[in-house]
Amino acid sequence: MSLDGLTSAQVARARPNVVPRRSSRSLAAIIRANVFTLFNLVIGVLWALILVFGAWQDSVFGLIMVANVLIGVVQELRAKRTLDRLAVVGESPVTVRRDGADRRVPPHQVVLGDLIVLGPGDALLVDGEMIVSAGLEVDESLLTGEADPVRKEPGDPVLSGSFAVAGTGLFRATAVGTDAYAARLAEEASRFHLAHSELRDGVARFIRYITWLVIPIGALLTYSQLSNSADFATAITGAVAGIVTMIPEGLVLTTSIAFAVGVVRLGRRRCLVQELPAIEGLARVDVLCLDKTGTLTAGGMTLDRVVPLREGRPVGDALAALTAADGHPNATARAISDRFPSARWRPLATVPFSSERKWSGADFGPHGVWLLGAPDVLLAPSAPERAQAAELAATGARVLALCRTNRLPDGNRPPASHRTDPITADAHSASHRTDPITADAHSASHRTDPITADAPPEDASTDPSVIGVEEGEPVALVVLKQRVRPDAHETLEYFERQGVSVKIISGDDPRSVSAIAAGLNVPGADRAVDARTLPDDEDALGEALDAATVFGRVSPQQKRLFVTALRKRGHTVAMTGDGVNDVLALKEADLGIAMGAGSPATKAVAQVVLLDNRFAALPHVVNEGRRVLANIERVSGLFLTKTFYAIVLSLMTGVAGMMFPFTPRHSTLVNAVTIGLPALFLALAPTLERARPGFVPRVLRFAVPAGVICAFAVLLAFRAAAGGTLEEQRTAAVLALFLTTWWVLVLVARPLDRWRVALVAAMAGLFALALASPFVREVFELRPGGPHDDLIAVGIALVACAGISIAVKVAGTLRT
């Protein structure tokens, strides 16, 4: 096959790589989800009954349903536009070869038959067949679960969903769009949906239970109203009032609005939320695992100095030639080539970096064989140069060893750490799987850094695969500076104040990580742990993780084990990363957060992408999650209190065979000023409350006693005014209903700062205005009786309010 790729004419005729966006659903799907719901069906039928048999004033609840649908659709469309716009910005371009030239194109412009260029860190977005391979190794663990990278040769198939970890290659796209392997596997999982979460499950559970209750209780209520009223229209109106009030239709709407507004707010801070439920995950995080490079430190680095170890060696020529031989230079290679730009040697053979080798090298013929890699891999433990490298690393610098040897070692042999494992001889055990990616060496071009991989155990001097001083000559140490992000210190302090434990994990030398952490005043930075000494057992590992903060020489497999062990101990774990070595841990974490400049693989698996690469954005991300979750819990208490008092009222009036104490227009008025309007404000209010487990039982402990007491207060006020007309009785009941539910609003809104006091006062003012306005009283059929009946209703309501306060306080659900 020609290596020039497709022509422009062929590209125009070929099938493009079009797949549904993971971050949002279509307009049709948004409309269907907001319109065609069970509750809308029930309310629509009841609305039709009122329009046929009742007064128009009693049908206002139907207009509220329409408004809810419109608000839900509009808010989600805003979120969709934000997500789609940010998703385009966050897409990593793909290098394709067309008309004999390499060019970068968006993923959706890749077409069937394209020649795609691969380098370390590149994600495979389509399926294909290898055409050219220069030591290319592909990690397919996200598809197969196998951690070992797979060497790819010409003719081998490659699958979307995997990513390159070493070498370079060229493959031809054989399946694109929804035909690609990963797209077929992820078709269901990738669709926009509220993923598994306590919040979503809790709301769904409420709705499921209420749905089953509405049917029999509604039937009982309808029968009782028909039996106790000679007027069919009055009976239907009473039955509809009870059934409509039982339905918490606004809860689903408010939850959707809170999520959507959260997405828009984060979008303004250049945070792409690829799955809306990730916002909930933000609120629950209590452990944040930070990948040092690219998170605490900036993506680039600079060459500080080169320390010669032997006199008269061509160090500059060797470094220039080694970095020039890398077709996909990373931050390390670029920093070196900036100092040594002119390569005069040409390689006869090269071995690209791989985490299995932890070094890269090239044979330059008469100039010799040169290797560049981690000092504790290329240098024997007893070598004095290795101790010198350790001293330099303790200052926070990144240190590389440049060695000259007589032969280019076999690039396929396993690393030392997998050949003389002191714990087990199994080279592929769970704790010693092949390291698919080097540890924290990421760059702006997202290539794997050939230096900072996990080093072999301290007894590696006995391992024949170590490139030690017996075989090679240490020529120089290369010292690179890492730039700490200016906002890192303030951001770490924020998490400490918020009670979020921070774990700094890195593949660098523990001494280097410790120095950087100490400069940021991280607690326990002086006690950095070498991850190679950690136990393999998850329970023991979890104890070690709880006891320490800073970890060095962490392999990608260990990063995933860290996350697993922390989750097993009951923690909600967020993981940040920007390189392919973070992919497995990001996928395992409750919440994966990738940097916008990270590798395509990391952005593909993360739920949140920080497009501006700003570590300081994380507090805003966490705050938004806490705001959404805490506020949804608040408004859930409001909506479910309404549901439970309606259930109790319907049961009691149905069993007692009495008229329902209010009509739909009454519930519309009271619900608007005590639930609907304040819920919109409360759902979007700022809050820093940390999410707590037990959302469902906590809401029920509040809503059930509050709803029951409200129901009894309404019935007592209704019966106390039995000497008046039905309209006067219902007005007394409405007065008691407003006062008790308004008090529920006061309790839910706590702590009562200035704006919350203004909110609850405004709602009381609106109701008082409704009572004072003759026109409003006429529309809502409010006909107060004598002062005696109204005072009794107020007295009953005050006693009920005290009872609600005591009940919910005993239940332990009040915020202060």
Side-chain angles (χ1 to χ4, degrees), residues 252-275:
V252 178
L253 168 73
T254 307
T255 303
S256 299
I257 289 176
F259 273 129
V261 171
V263 166
V264 173
R265 285 178 172 176
L266 290 177
R268 291 171 182 161
R269 297 188 180 275
R270 304 282 290 171
C271 297
L272 170 60
V273 181
Q274 305 207 84
E275 297 175 1

Side-chain angles (χ1 to χ4, degrees), residues 4 173 183 194 242 295 396 443 461 494 498 607 689 728 775 785:
D4 290 340
L194 288 181
T295 303
S443 67
S461 59
Y494 162 84
Q498 295 300 318
Q607 286 88 27
E689 294 178 32
E728 293 172 345
F775 173 75

Side-chain angles (χ1 to χ4, degrees), residues 129-147:
E129 178 186 359
M130 290 304 305
I131 304 299
V132 177
S133 174
L136 182 71
E137 297 176 13
V138 174
D139 189 307
E140 299 177 341
S141 58
L142 297 179
L143 299 177
T144 66
E146 294 293 333

Side-chain angles (χ1 to χ4, degrees), residues 477-649:
L477 296 177
V478 181
V479 183
L480 298 113
K481 282 185 177 179
Q482 303 177 83
R483 300 191 298 271
V484 177
R485 292 186 182 273
D487 51 18
H489 182 266
E490 181 181 351
T491 306
L492 290 174
E493 282 189 338
Y494 162 84
F495 285 115
E496 184 177 0
R497 292 194 304 269
Q498 295 300 318
V500 177
S501 299
V502 173
K503 308 295 179 184
I504 299 176
I505 58 180
S506 172
D508 281 355
D509 188 299
R511 290 173 284 259
S512 175
V513 185
S514 176
I516 291 176
L520 294 170
N521 296 327
V522 174
D526 58 333
R527 301 186 302 277
V529 176
D530 190 324
R532 294 167 295 182
T533 66
L534 292 174
D536 303 323
D537 177 72
E538 277 192 359
D539 293 331
L541 178 61
E543 293 178 5
L545 291 170
D546 279 341
T549 302
V550 181
F551 302 86
R553 287 303 182 211
V554 185
S555 72
Q557 287 294 340
Q558 279 184 305
K559 288 184 180 183
R560 180 167 66 174
L561 290 175
F562 277 24
V563 172
T564 303
L566 288 168
R567 293 183 66 193
K568 188 175 181 180
R569 293 179 71 82
H571 295 295
T572 301
V573 181
M575 172 76 194
T576 69
D578 71 337
V580 286
N581 60 323
D582 303 316
V583 169
L584 302 178
L586 288 171
K587 190 73 173 177
E588 188 69 29
D590 295 289
L591 182 69
I593 304 172
M595 295 294 173
S599 71
T602 58
K603 291 189 286 186
V605 302
Q607 286 88 27
V608 177
V609 180
L610 306 181
L611 295 174
D612 283 345
N613 308 302
R614 294 182 61 247
F615 180 45
L618 282 179
H620 300 291
V621 172
V622 173
N623 287 345
E624 194 61 36
R626 291 184 173 184
R627 182 194 65 78
V628 170
L629 201 60
N631 290 339
I632 291 302
E633 182 172 326
R634 289 179 187 275
V635 299
S636 295
L638 283 177
F639 282 107
L640 293 179
T641 295
K642 173 178 79 82
T643 294
F644 282 110
Y645 77 64
I647 289 174
V648 173
L649 284 174

Side-chain angles (χ1 to χ4, degrees), residues 784-809:
H788 177 265
D789 292 342
D790 292 340
L791 287 174
I792 290 177
V794 170
I796 292 172
L798 292 177
V799 174
C801 291
I804 292 172
S805 298
I806 295 171
V808 297
K809 190 171 184 62

Side-chain angles (χ1 to χ4, degrees), residues 158-173:
V158 288
L159 296 175
S160 54
S162 54
F163 52 93
V165 296
T168 59
L170 195 66
F171 77 94
R172 180 175 60 87

